[in-house]
Amino acid sequence: MFLQIIVRPDPHLTAEALRHRLRRPVLLARLAGWALLGLALLRHLHGDGLNYTLLLAGVALAVVVPMFLLNGGARRALRDGGPTTIEVSADGVACSTVESRHAYAWNAFTHVDHLPGQLVLGIGSGRFVQIPTRGISAEQIHQVLTTAATHGIPLNRG
């Protein structure tokens, strides 16, 4: 093990990681919602009357679905609230709380996002492991990124 840190969940970092991770589904929902709202407006302006189904579906897709995705994801990620021990080794990454321990081999990760204040290791299906970079040196960050790259995990700079 070359890095072990104990951190408390940071709601701001978690929200940023979720926004970054879910940007494509949120963008698609918003675009579809705005398209439905535009269609409802065009039908109204054309004289067909206001289509409440299109209007409600547009609002749901443009506002409610993104809010649900981001807020629900943040609540799930911050549910524990207690300190988490993150261990990074040549074999993978492990996260431990009082209630549980999750260990992931490097081949479980699909990508690494280097965001301000954190490294986000994507697992797939919207799941990820956060490694806050506050309190660790630039050399340790480089070591984590190099180890990930050695195992063929692509790096995305946020």
Side-chain angles (χ1 to χ4, degrees), residues 4 9 12 27 35 49-50 58 66 68 71-73 78 87 97 99 105 109 112-113 132 137-138 140 144 150 152 154:
Q4 179 179 12
H12 299 292
L27 178 64
L50 187 59
F68 174 75
N71 291 342
L78 296 171
E87 301 168 358
T97 64
E99 292 88 19
F109 299 112
V112 178
D113 293 321
S137 68
Q140 289 172 316
V144 172
T150 302

Side-chain angles (χ1 to χ4, degrees), residues 128-150:
F128 55 87
V129 173
Q130 288 177 271
I131 301 175
T133 56
R134 187 177 347 143
I136 63 176
S137 68
E139 181 181 322
Q140 289 172 316
I141 294 169
H142 179 72
Q143 192 174 10
V144 172
L145 294 174
T146 303
T147 304
T150 302

